[in-house]
PDB file of all heavy atoms in Angstrom:
ATOM      1  N   ALA A 724      48.830  18.831 -29.753  1.00 98.00           N
ATOM      2  CA  ALA A 724      47.532  18.321 -30.205  1.00 98.00           C
ATOM      3  C   ALA A 724      47.323  16.911 -29.690  1.00 98.00           C
ATOM      4  O   ALA A 724      48.288  16.193 -29.413  1.00 98.00           O
ATOM      5  CB  ALA A 724      47.466  18.347 -31.727  1.00 98.00           C
ATOM      6  N   GLY A 725      46.082  16.529 -29.566  1.00 98.00           N
ATOM      7  CA  GLY A 725      45.795  15.173 -29.107  1.00 98.00           C
ATOM      8  C   GLY A 725      44.310  14.969 -28.894  1.00 98.00           C
ATOM      9  O   GLY A 725      43.495  15.817 -29.269  1.00 98.00           O
ATOM     10  N   ALA A 726      43.994  13.820 -28.263  1.00 97.00           N
ATOM     11  CA  ALA A 726      42.602  13.506 -27.960  1.00 97.00           C
ATOM     12  C   ALA A 726      42.216  14.166 -26.639  1.00 97.00           C
ATOM     13  O   ALA A 726      41.121  14.682 -26.482  1.00 97.00           O
ATOM     14  CB  ALA A 726      42.423  11.996 -27.864  1.00 97.00           C
ATOM     15  N   PHE A 727      43.111  14.101 -25.677  1.00 98.00           N
ATOM     16  CA  PHE A 727      42.855  14.614 -24.319  1.00 98.00           C
ATOM     17  C   PHE A 727      41.514  14.093 -23.809  1.00 98.00           C
ATOM     18  O   PHE A 727      40.709  14.837 -23.262  1.00 98.00           O
ATOM     19  CB  PHE A 727      42.957  16.153 -24.279  1.00 98.00           C
ATOM     20  CG  PHE A 727      44.362  16.633 -24.492  1.00 98.00           C
ATOM     21  CD1 PHE A 727      44.825  16.908 -25.778  1.00 98.00           C
ATOM     22  CD2 PHE A 727      45.243  16.762 -23.431  1.00 98.00           C
ATOM     23  CE1 PHE A 727      46.139  17.310 -25.996  1.00 98.00           C
ATOM     24  CE2 PHE A 727      46.559  17.163 -23.638  1.00 98.00           C
ATOM     25  CZ  PHE A 727      47.002  17.447 -24.915  1.00 98.00           C
ATOM     26  N   ASP A 728      41.322  12.790 -24.024  1.00 95.00           N
ATOM     27  CA  ASP A 728      40.079  12.141 -23.605  1.00 95.00           C
ATOM     28  C   ASP A 728      40.171  11.798 -22.122  1.00 95.00           C
ATOM     29  O   ASP A 728      41.220  11.345 -21.653  1.00 95.00           O
ATOM     30  CB  ASP A 728      39.911  10.863 -24.449  1.00 95.00           C
ATOM     31  CG  ASP A 728      38.517  10.285 -24.358  1.00 95.00           C
ATOM     32  OD1 ASP A 728      37.613  10.973 -23.870  1.00 95.00           O
ATOM     33  OD2 ASP A 728      38.348   9.132 -24.810  1.00 95.00           O
ATOM     34  N   HIS A 731      43.358  13.646 -17.623  1.00 97.00           N
ATOM     35  CA  HIS A 731      43.940  12.979 -16.448  1.00 97.00           C
ATOM     36  C   HIS A 731      45.302  13.560 -16.063  1.00 97.00           C
ATOM     37  O   HIS A 731      45.812  14.458 -16.740  1.00 97.00           O
ATOM     38  CB  HIS A 731      44.015  11.472 -16.713  1.00 97.00           C
ATOM     39  CG  HIS A 731      44.772  11.107 -17.966  1.00 97.00           C
ATOM     40  ND1 HIS A 731      46.120  11.326 -18.116  1.00 97.00           N
ATOM     41  CD2 HIS A 731      44.352  10.565 -19.135  1.00 97.00           C
ATOM     42  CE1 HIS A 731      46.503  10.898 -19.308  1.00 97.00           C
ATOM     43  NE2 HIS A 731      45.441  10.452 -19.956  1.00 97.00           N
ATOM     44  N   GLY A 733      48.263  12.445 -16.438  1.00 98.00           N
ATOM     45  CA  GLY A 733      49.301  12.336 -17.481  1.00 98.00           C
ATOM     46  C   GLY A 733      49.233  13.557 -18.388  1.00 98.00           C
ATOM     47  O   GLY A 733      50.249  14.196 -18.697  1.00 98.00           O
ATOM     48  N   HIS A 734      48.014  13.914 -18.811  1.00 98.00           N
ATOM     49  CA  HIS A 734      47.820  15.117 -19.627  1.00 98.00           C
ATOM     50  C   HIS A 734      48.318  16.345 -18.875  1.00 98.00           C
ATOM     51  O   HIS A 734      48.996  17.207 -19.441  1.00 98.00           O
ATOM     52  CB  HIS A 734      46.328  15.322 -19.945  1.00 98.00           C
ATOM     53  CG  HIS A 734      45.750  14.281 -20.855  1.00 98.00           C
ATOM     54  ND1 HIS A 734      44.569  13.658 -20.600  1.00 98.00           N
ATOM     55  CD2 HIS A 734      46.208  13.774 -22.027  1.00 98.00           C
ATOM     56  CE1 HIS A 734      44.293  12.809 -21.580  1.00 98.00           C
ATOM     57  NE2 HIS A 734      45.285  12.857 -22.450  1.00 98.00           N
ATOM     58  N   PHE A 737      52.033  16.623 -18.688  1.00 98.00           N
ATOM     59  CA  PHE A 737      52.532  16.970 -20.026  1.00 98.00           C
ATOM     60  C   PHE A 737      52.321  18.473 -20.291  1.00 98.00           C
ATOM     61  O   PHE A 737      53.245  19.175 -20.712  1.00 98.00           O
ATOM     62  CB  PHE A 737      51.813  16.127 -21.082  1.00 98.00           C
ATOM     63  CG  PHE A 737      52.106  16.539 -22.495  1.00 98.00           C
ATOM     64  CD1 PHE A 737      53.386  16.413 -23.028  1.00 98.00           C
ATOM     65  CD2 PHE A 737      51.105  17.065 -23.315  1.00 98.00           C
ATOM     66  CE1 PHE A 737      53.672  16.800 -24.334  1.00 98.00           C
ATOM     67  CE2 PHE A 737      51.375  17.453 -24.618  1.00 98.00           C
ATOM     68  CZ  PHE A 737      52.663  17.321 -25.116  1.00 98.00           C
ATOM     69  N   TYR A 761      42.096   6.469 -34.882  1.00 95.00           N
ATOM     70  CA  TYR A 761      43.365   5.940 -34.378  1.00 95.00           C
ATOM     71  C   TYR A 761      43.270   5.224 -33.045  1.00 95.00           C
ATOM     72  O   TYR A 761      44.174   4.484 -32.687  1.00 95.00           O
ATOM     73  CB  TYR A 761      44.471   7.008 -34.386  1.00 95.00           C
ATOM     74  CG  TYR A 761      44.297   8.209 -33.480  1.00 95.00           C
ATOM     75  CD1 TYR A 761      44.586   8.141 -32.122  1.00 95.00           C
ATOM     76  CD2 TYR A 761      43.885   9.438 -33.989  1.00 95.00           C
ATOM     77  CE1 TYR A 761      44.449   9.258 -31.298  1.00 95.00           C
ATOM     78  CE2 TYR A 761      43.740  10.549 -33.177  1.00 95.00           C
ATOM     79  CZ  TYR A 761      44.021  10.454 -31.838  1.00 95.00           C
ATOM     80  OH  TYR A 761      43.889  11.548 -31.029  1.00 95.00           O
ATOM     81  N   CYS A 809      54.965  20.389 -29.668  1.00 98.00           N
ATOM     82  CA  CYS A 809      55.455  19.325 -28.779  1.00 98.00           C
ATOM     83  C   CYS A 809      54.520  18.119 -28.790  1.00 98.00           C
ATOM     84  O   CYS A 809      53.316  18.246 -28.987  1.00 98.00           O
ATOM     85  CB  CYS A 809      55.561  19.821 -27.337  1.00 98.00           C
ATOM     86  SG  CYS A 809      56.624  21.244 -27.119  1.00 98.00           S
ATOM     87  N   HIS A 810      55.120  16.960 -28.513  1.00 98.00           N
ATOM     88  CA  HIS A 810      54.336  15.742 -28.286  1.00 98.00           C
ATOM     89  C   HIS A 810      54.995  15.024 -27.128  1.00 98.00           C
ATOM     90  O   HIS A 810      56.204  15.101 -26.948  1.00 98.00           O
ATOM     91  CB  HIS A 810      54.325  14.855 -29.540  1.00 98.00           C
ATOM     92  CG  HIS A 810      53.365  13.701 -29.433  1.00 98.00           C
ATOM     93  ND1 HIS A 810      52.065  13.758 -29.896  1.00 98.00           N
ATOM     94  CD2 HIS A 810      53.503  12.461 -28.879  1.00 98.00           C
ATOM     95  CE1 HIS A 810      51.450  12.601 -29.643  1.00 98.00           C
ATOM     96  NE2 HIS A 810      52.313  11.798 -29.019  1.00 98.00           N
ATOM     97  N   GLY A 811      54.190  14.306 -26.347  1.00 98.00           N
ATOM     98  CA  GLY A 811      54.728  13.577 -25.196  1.00 98.00           C
ATOM     99  C   GLY A 811      55.448  12.312 -25.628  1.00 98.00           C
ATOM    100  O   GLY A 811      55.697  12.081 -26.816  1.00 98.00           O
ATOM    101  N   ALA A 812      55.739  11.463 -24.635  1.00 94.00           N
ATOM    102  CA  ALA A 812      56.505  10.244 -24.927  1.00 94.00           C
ATOM    103  C   ALA A 812      55.607   9.105 -25.411  1.00 94.00           C
ATOM    104  O   ALA A 812      56.068   7.981 -25.591  1.00 94.00           O
ATOM    105  CB  ALA A 812      57.270   9.835 -23.683  1.00 94.00           C
ATOM    106  N   THR A 813      54.323   9.377 -25.617  1.00 95.00           N
ATOM    107  CA  THR A 813      53.418   8.315 -26.075  1.00 95.00           C
ATOM    108  C   THR A 813      53.546   8.131 -27.593  1.00 95.00           C
ATOM    109  O   THR A 813      54.060   9.006 -28.292  1.00 95.00           O
ATOM    110  CB  THR A 813      51.949   8.657 -25.735  1.00 95.00           C
ATOM    111  OG1 THR A 813      51.593   9.862 -26.419  1.00 95.00           O
ATOM    112  CG2 THR A 813      51.753   8.846 -24.240  1.00 95.00           C
ATOM    113  N   VAL A 837      58.485  16.002 -25.497  1.00 98.00           N
ATOM    114  CA  VAL A 837      58.596  16.422 -24.094  1.00 98.00           C
ATOM    115  C   VAL A 837      57.967  15.330 -23.221  1.00 98.00           C
ATOM    116  O   VAL A 837      56.754  15.114 -23.280  1.00 98.00           O
ATOM    117  CB  VAL A 837      57.876  17.775 -23.857  1.00 98.00           C
ATOM    118  CG1 VAL A 837      57.960  18.198 -22.396  1.00 98.00           C
ATOM    119  CG2 VAL A 837      58.458  18.862 -24.755  1.00 98.00           C
ATOM    120  N   SER A 839      56.347  13.578 -20.166  1.00 97.00           N
ATOM    121  CA  SER A 839      55.576  14.059 -19.006  1.00 97.00           C
ATOM    122  C   SER A 839      56.087  13.402 -17.732  1.00 97.00           C
ATOM    123  O   SER A 839      55.846  13.892 -16.629  1.00 97.00           O
ATOM    124  CB  SER A 839      54.101  13.717 -19.184  1.00 97.00           C
ATOM    125  OG  SER A 839      53.911  12.309 -19.178  1.00 97.00           O
ATOM    126  N   ASN A 841      54.917  10.781 -16.636  1.00 97.00           N
ATOM    127  CA  ASN A 841      53.734  10.181 -16.017  1.00 97.00           C
ATOM    128  C   ASN A 841      53.188   9.095 -16.945  1.00 97.00           C
ATOM    129  O   ASN A 841      53.012   9.333 -18.142  1.00 97.00           O
ATOM    130  CB  ASN A 841      52.684  11.283 -15.807  1.00 97.00           C
ATOM    131  CG  ASN A 841      51.567  10.849 -14.902  1.00 97.00           C
ATOM    132  OD1 ASN A 841      51.054   9.737 -14.998  1.00 97.00           O
ATOM    133  ND2 ASN A 841      51.188  11.715 -13.989  1.00 97.00           N
ATOM    134  N   SER A 842      52.948   7.924 -16.399  1.00 96.00           N
ATOM    135  CA  SER A 842      52.555   6.810 -17.263  1.00 96.00           C
ATOM    136  C   SER A 842      51.036   6.649 -17.389  1.00 96.00           C
ATOM    137  O   SER A 842      50.555   5.695 -17.994  1.00 96.00           O
ATOM    138  CB  SER A 842      53.178   5.517 -16.731  1.00 96.00           C
ATOM    139  OG  SER A 842      52.702   5.313 -15.420  1.00 96.00           O
ATOM    140  N   MET A 843      50.294   7.580 -16.819  1.00 96.00           N
ATOM    141  CA  MET A 843      48.823   7.480 -16.907  1.00 96.00           C
ATOM    142  C   MET A 843      48.361   7.653 -18.352  1.00 96.00           C
ATOM    143  O   MET A 843      48.903   8.468 -19.093  1.00 96.00           O
ATOM    144  CB  MET A 843      48.192   8.564 -16.024  1.00 96.00           C
ATOM    145  CG  MET A 843      46.688   8.600 -16.085  1.00 96.00           C
ATOM    146  SD  MET A 843      45.928   7.059 -15.596  1.00 96.00           S
ATOM    147  CE  MET A 843      45.726   7.354 -13.858  1.00 96.00           C
TER     148      MET A 843
HETATM  149  O1  C5P B 629      46.788  10.477 -25.841  1.00 97.37           O
HETATM  150  P1  C5P B 629      46.416  11.927 -26.054  1.00 97.37           P
HETATM  151  O2  C5P B 629      46.213  12.290 -27.488  1.00 97.37           O
HETATM  152  O3  C5P B 629      45.302  12.356 -25.190  1.00 97.37           O
HETATM  153  O4  C5P B 629      47.704  12.753 -25.575  1.00 97.37           O
HETATM  154  C1  C5P B 629      47.811  14.150 -25.717  1.00 97.37           C
HETATM  155  C2  C5P B 629      49.265  14.549 -25.444  1.00 97.37           C
HETATM  156  O5  C5P B 629      49.588  14.273 -24.063  1.00 97.37           O
HETATM  157  C3  C5P B 629      50.267  13.772 -26.296  1.00 97.37           C
HETATM  158  O6  C5P B 629      51.331  14.642 -26.672  1.00 97.37           O
HETATM  159  C4  C5P B 629      50.766  12.709 -25.342  1.00 97.37           C
HETATM  160  O7  C5P B 629      52.065  12.226 -25.669  1.00 97.37           O
HETATM  161  C5  C5P B 629      50.781  13.491 -24.023  1.00 97.37           C
HETATM  162  N1  C5P B 629      50.765  12.619 -22.842  1.00 97.37           N
HETATM  163  C6  C5P B 629      51.899  12.542 -22.032  1.00 97.37           C
HETATM  164  N2  C5P B 629      51.905  11.721 -20.939  1.00 97.37           N
HETATM  165  C7  C5P B 629      50.833  10.966 -20.635  1.00 97.37           C
HETATM  166  C8  C5P B 629      49.679  11.019 -21.438  1.00 97.37           C
HETATM  167  C9  C5P B 629      49.674  11.869 -22.543  1.00 97.37           C
HETATM  168  O8  C5P B 629      52.912  13.197 -22.311  1.00 97.37           O
HETATM  169  N3  C5P B 629      50.881  10.173 -19.566  1.00 97.37           N
END
Side-chain angles (χ1 to χ4, degrees):
F727 292 90
D728 194 14
H731 56 66
H734 292 133
F737 172 65
Y761 65 80
C809 302
H810 189 93
T813 62
V837 179
S839 65
N841 193 317
S842 60
M843 177 59 91

